Amino acid sequence: MNRRNFIGSIGNTSLALLASSIPGVNAMNWKNTSNEFVFVEAEQFANFGGWNIDQQSMEQMGSPYLLAHGLGIPVEDATTNITFPSEGKYRVWVRTKDWVAPWNAPGAPGKFQLIVDGTPLKETFGTKSAVWHWHDGKTITVGKNATLALHDLTGFEGRCEAILFCKDTSFIPTNDIKALTAFRRKLNGHPPTPALGGNFDFVVIGGGLAGTCAAIAAARQGVKVALVQDRPVLGGNGSSEVRVWPEGHTNKEPYPHVGDIVNEILPNIIKAPGQVLNGVDAKYYDDQKKLDIIKNEPNIQLFIENRAIEVQVKEHKITSIVIQHIRTGVQLKISAKLFADCTGDAVIGYKAGADYEYKVENLMGSSNLFNVLDATNKEEVLNCDCKDKSALALKCEIGDYAQPFPRCPWALDLSDKPFPGRKGVKTFGEEGLDSFANMWYWESGFNKDQVNQIELIRDHNFRAMYGAWDTIKNVDHMYPNHRLGWSAYIAGKRESRRLMGDVVLDAEDFKNHTKFEDACFPCSWHVDLHTPKKEFKEGFDGNEFISDYTRGEEYQYGNLYWAPYRTLYSRNITNLFMAGRNISVTKTGLGPVRVMRTCGMMGEVVGKAASICVTSNVGPKQVYEKHLDKLLTLLKEPGKKV
Ligand SMILES: Cc1cc2nc3c(=O)[nH]c(=O)nc-3n(C[C@H](O)[C@H](O)[C@H](O)COP(=O)(O)OP(=O)(O)OC[C@H]3O[C@@H](n4cnc5c(N)ncnc54)[C@H](O)[C@@H]3O)c2cc1C
């Protein structure tokens, strides 16, 4: 019988229906033909407790999920209330994985329990399979309503994507992502097509510094802008979630106002020579400042916590994109005349069929920066981002400073290996904690797909960090009063797809100072390319975790080079701009352009060019061909509001 029987509300996801009404269910040979379900999305829990939402891999594994990122200390329970379609016996399935199983590592560190109405299920989750799957939680008997809690047992990166209660105890849910997506969206009451989210002049996708600056620059020229960002904060790698300090010289002649906007949205902090500002306190990245500036721009509609997942194209032009809210799952279609891909991974251009380059070989890797704190230092304790901050402060108050850390047999075994921070090991001239924490070179995935394998790459970074800290604490018995204070769970990426424009800039252009009439944003970073660092790679073939960088005369080009506008739009998708690390450069050309103030300035140029497209009714290429003088004149004007 094709009958849908919804119960409850989307808010707490207590919905039920007949499985036979789901397209593809029979085709997928699902065992069940008629049954009641409750599908609970982890990201829709009413209270996340100490768990974090992670959307980085949703295309690959099917959904955002909750992560118990406790740095070895179990995080507070995530909780929610649900309503069942009827009382009685249900079989419970929990979608999760054993995150260290891809390396056949022992111990399953991401263990957690599901507690229903105060009683934990007998099954412990996060203990099976290298891939996301439905872990059988066996049967339980429930009343009409129940409270659920995800109870982390370790603090070591346990993860839960969804929970499914099935009245038919013989029902086996699918692990096929496409069929599962159709199943979950139907159960969660989402319509088959996205609602209309608006029509704009210009849609910017990706709210890193490049995208945020592009949106502001266009809006201040009167362009109606939508800014789509898949995290709750703006800034990308320059946000408090990733904590990279933005480099690159700005406001240089002959365009001294290029750089106004990126400097306006960044905190007013001048980095002292030698000062390390990667991975430091959240205040150094001032997420709120960026959000406040965007919210005060009347021409910008911000779609925060929304991920662009689909692109519609007609005759080499993007007509619209579909975005999905990372918590509610609500999808919207937004249309525009112009689009800017500022996702870093060229997500939009790739989906639209834009020419691009990307080879999964000898890439620069991704990093998850981390810091440590000294429990004897009151200021560090009070300022820390630790999830158990109050407990830590209390312990220190009564003079108990010891910070034990458990052995991590599932992490990288570094007990007989050199690594930065280990006694007697110098890395770029530093040793001890100065070379261990806050360092960019904890980097991996050099030969892995930075788009499609980012969960694996991020997890390898975790294994390196935990393995190193375990060795420092438990093998070398150093730093008894220190603990891991913070680490990023959103990976900081450096290199993936690059979209091709009418000019593809190479490192040789920098070194030769190739002149372009459309030169418009200044680059000042050296040709900075990363490879695995040879001192630390032995025994980790394919799983290297520390990087080196290119240096010396051959990677320098003087202090400044002005890069051309033609690197900032697609050569074959006629209404697509790009700004950030996915612009039109070769692999070596990426080295100097990828620092964040430079990315922000690309955004400023793109935003102003978009305004010319709107007022002159042309595409990005025609701005170069017919209106270059207008663009260069506009670049001389202030970016700030006057
Ligand atoms: C550890 C590390 C150290 C570095 N050191 C420095 C340094 O010292 N100084 C410096 O300036 N640069 C440094 N870099 C390089 C720099 O951080 C990047 O090159 C830069 O962040 C690229 O900027 P972007 O705006 O293109 O991308 P990002 O900063 O990655 O921003 C892109 C944004 O788009 C969002 N997004 C992605 N896909 C979607 C989607 N489908 N829908 C909606 N939103 C989406 C992402 O969540 C992200 O917020 C470092 C990088 C790393 C990883």
Side-chain angles (χ1 to χ4, degrees), residues 205-210 228-231 235-237 244-247 278 306-308 342-344 347 367 369 440 492-494 580-581 594-596 599:
I205 306 103
L209 291 186
V228 180
Q229 164 67 348
D230 64 356
R231 295 296 307 166
N237 284 3
V244 175
W245 184 253
E247 300 283 1
N278 284 341
N306 271 279
R307 188 162 170 99
C342 304
T343 61
V347 173
S367 296
L369 287 166
W440 55 268
K493 294 185 181 182
R494 291 181 175 85
R581 66 179 171 83
R594 65 191 176 85
V595 288
M596 283 183 282
C599 292

Side-chain angles (χ1 to χ4, degrees), residues 197 200 225-228 294 297-303:
F200 298 85
V225 182
L227 174 60
V228 180
I294 288 287
E297 289 294 339
N299 285 332
I300 300 182
Q301 185 167 342
L302 176 62
F303 292 88

